[in-house]
Amino acid sequence: MTDALKRLSDEGVAIWLDDLSRKRITSGNLAELIDQSHVVGVTTNPSIFQKAISSGDGYGQQLADLAARKVTVDEAIRMITTADVRDAADILRPVYDSTDGQDGRVSIEVDPRLAHNTTATIAEAKQLAWLVDRPNTLIKIPATKAGLPAITEVIGKGISVNVTLIFSLERYREVMDAYLAGLEKAKAAGLDLSLIHSVASFFVSRVDSEIDKRLDAVGSDEAKALKGKAALANARLAYEAYEEVFSSDRWNALERVGANKQRPLWASTGVKDPAYKDTLYVDDLVAPNTVNTMPEATLEATADHGQITGDTVRATYDQSRAELDAVAKLGISYDDVVQLLEDEGVEKFEASWNDLLKSTEAELARLAPTEA
């Protein structure tokens, strides 16, 4: 059942699960996925926590305790989410130890309402690292303009970071620059660079969803022939940029003192268009030293019928450029698409967080002890 997942892992792609819930932790399911499905990491986001906590499964006692203490809803959410991340980190600790800290990681996101506030993002990242208190945590910081200096500052303090919501090649280069600047700060502060890790989450399926919609509006045969190609082309050119930056003199100077490369992480790899094969963003994004974080349905599909045929990225750069150029020639603005997707990404996570706040507030009110 898991031969394709083993082949993927053997090709240098770390398989992470894009989901977490208390039930997954306490039932033994997460441990089973690590043991049987080559899962070596976990990512979370506000939408994942909103779904998990709103289901109510496994959170009742902690919510009742929090209600008895009359904590604020914001504090309640942080206590609940960091508890899940801490427990997942403990389950993944053997993987972390056996891979010298590269994998065995669990990501937790800064409050999405802070996405455009650098100072607050830095403060929140430090607080989350302290609250979870596990070395195999990654703090997720969005790749907004305000997020870039926060990445540098947080890395500079020795906190490992998962940079999220990257859609554009230009922004991705800025993210890598922010990471290197953070490592330089950490080095200047005398920190051990070998203990600092980072991934850069480059979003995939949403690019096709938006560009395919615009290709449909164009309606020509040429436009239809380009459907389902932009997201892969974009991600593959991101890997080209990664290869360039992490072979530079600037990088080599950091690597000599123990620094770790910031791996590209393929995010949003669940296929949204049923016309495409459900393993498209796994089979066609195989390259060394990458991470693919998959929803469970994509993980199961890959295990069942994934076609892992070796590196499907590094020989495609010219073709990928040609495909994005062809999209642009049809009047579809790449810059407009990626900015829209970044804005929507932040808005969606913020909406999920607000939904989570509302549902948790209602539960705290329902469970609050009546005054004698």
Side-chain angles (χ1 to χ4, degrees):
M1 179 76 173
T2 58
D3 280 356
L5 294 174
K6 183 180 188 305
R7 286 196 297 275
L8 187 63
S9 184
D10 289 344
E11 289 292 339
V13 180
I15 299 165
W16 290 8
L17 178 70
D18 192 27
D19 190 54
L20 186 64
S21 67
R22 191 153 296 177
K23 184 178 181 183
R24 197 182 283 285
I25 291 165
T26 57
S27 68
N29 173 261
L30 177 57
E32 187 177 289
L33 290 173
I34 295 164
D35 185 50
Q36 298 179 15
S37 299
H38 303 276
V39 168
V40 292
V42 168
T43 49
T44 69
N45 62 46
S47 299
I48 285 169
F49 278 129
Q50 191 270 330
K51 179 183 171 189
I53 297 169
S54 297
S55 75
D57 209 343
Y59 296 98
Q61 185 59 58
Q62 188 177 12
L63 279 164
D65 290 345
L66 291 165
R69 290 172 49 214
K70 299 182 180 179
V71 303
T72 66
V73 66
D74 286 277
E75 185 183 352
I77 293 299
R78 276 303 173 223
M79 292 299 102
I80 292 167
T81 57
T82 55
D84 280 359
V85 168
R86 189 181 308 113
D87 289 344
D90 287 343
I91 293 168
L92 278 154
R93 182 60 188 262
V95 178
Y96 170 83
D97 290 337
S98 67
T99 61
D100 291 327
Q102 178 160 268
D103 287 308
R105 296 277 177 174
V106 187
S107 298
I108 183 168
E109 191 142 353
V110 298
D111 187 329
R113 295 171 296 179
L114 308 177
H116 301 295
N117 185 326
T118 303
T119 304
T121 293
I122 294 165
E124 170 93 343
K126 288 157 61 180
Q127 172 77 353
L128 284 173
W130 176 82
L131 269 175
V132 177
D133 193 27
R134 294 294 184 272
N136 50 330
T137 310
L138 290 171
I139 307 302
K140 290 179 85 171
I141 296 176
T144 55
K145 277 293 185 187
L148 295 170
I151 293 159
T152 296
E153 195 64 29
V154 172
I155 290 289
K157 294 185 182 301
I159 297 170
S160 295
V161 171
N162 175 345
V163 183
T164 187
L165 290 175
I166 309 170
F167 295 95
S168 85
L169 295 167
E170 180 184 359
R171 184 56 56 82
Y172 178 44
R173 285 184 178 276
E174 292 175 330
V175 165
M176 290 188 284
D177 181 72
Y179 175 60
L180 296 184
L183 289 175
E184 287 159 352
K185 286 189 78 151
K187 179 186 172 188
L191 300 181
D192 182 351
L193 300 194
S194 70
L195 301 178
I196 303 171
H197 286 261
S198 183
V199 294
S201 296
F202 202 87
F203 279 55
V204 185
S205 65
R206 296 185 195 183
V207 174
D208 270 343
S209 297
E210 184 59 33
I211 288 183
D212 283 359
K213 185 169 66 177
R214 299 183 188 208
L215 289 168
D216 281 335
V218 173
S220 66
D221 289 343
E222 185 185 3
K224 289 173 186 171
L226 286 167
K227 287 183 66 177
K229 294 184 175 178
L232 288 174
N234 198 39
R236 287 163 167 174
L237 291 175
Y239 193 81
E240 182 187 41
Y242 157 79
E243 287 193 304
E244 180 188 317
V245 169
F246 288 99
S247 60
S248 66
D249 291 343
R250 184 185 182 192
W251 164 249
N252 291 336
L254 289 162
E255 188 173 42
R256 280 194 294 272
V257 291
N260 298 292
K261 291 179 180 177
Q262 182 187 55
R263 287 182 293 173
L265 178 151
W266 311 129
S268 182
T269 55
V271 173
K272 293 179 170 57
D273 188 331
Y276 303 149
K277 63 178 179 177
D278 54 3
T279 59
L280 177 67
Y281 305 125
V282 179
D283 298 351
D284 291 11
L285 285 175
V286 177
N289 209 37
T290 57
V291 179
N292 195 311
T293 185
M294 309 178 202
E296 189 167 26
T298 304
L299 182 75
E300 290 175 351
T302 302
D304 183 61
H305 52 263
Q307 298 293 313
I308 309 303
T309 57
D311 188 328
T312 49
V313 172
R314 287 185 289 187
T316 69
Y317 298 150
D318 289 343
Q319 176 194 339
S320 296
R321 259 186 290 280
E323 285 167 351
L324 289 187
D325 287 346
V327 169
K329 282 174 185 168
L330 293 173
I332 296 169
S333 167
Y334 176 88
D335 289 343
D336 181 64
V337 167
V338 293
Q339 188 59 57
L340 174 72
L341 290 173
E342 179 186 305
D343 293 342
E344 283 184 350
V346 172
E347 287 165 10
K348 284 176 182 175
F349 281 167
E350 189 170 336
S352 293
W353 196 255
N354 286 331
D355 287 345
L356 178 55
L357 288 169
K358 286 176 192 167
S359 60
T360 303
E361 191 168 38
E363 276 298 283
L364 291 172
R366 184 180 70 82
L367 293 166
T370 53
E371 298 295 333

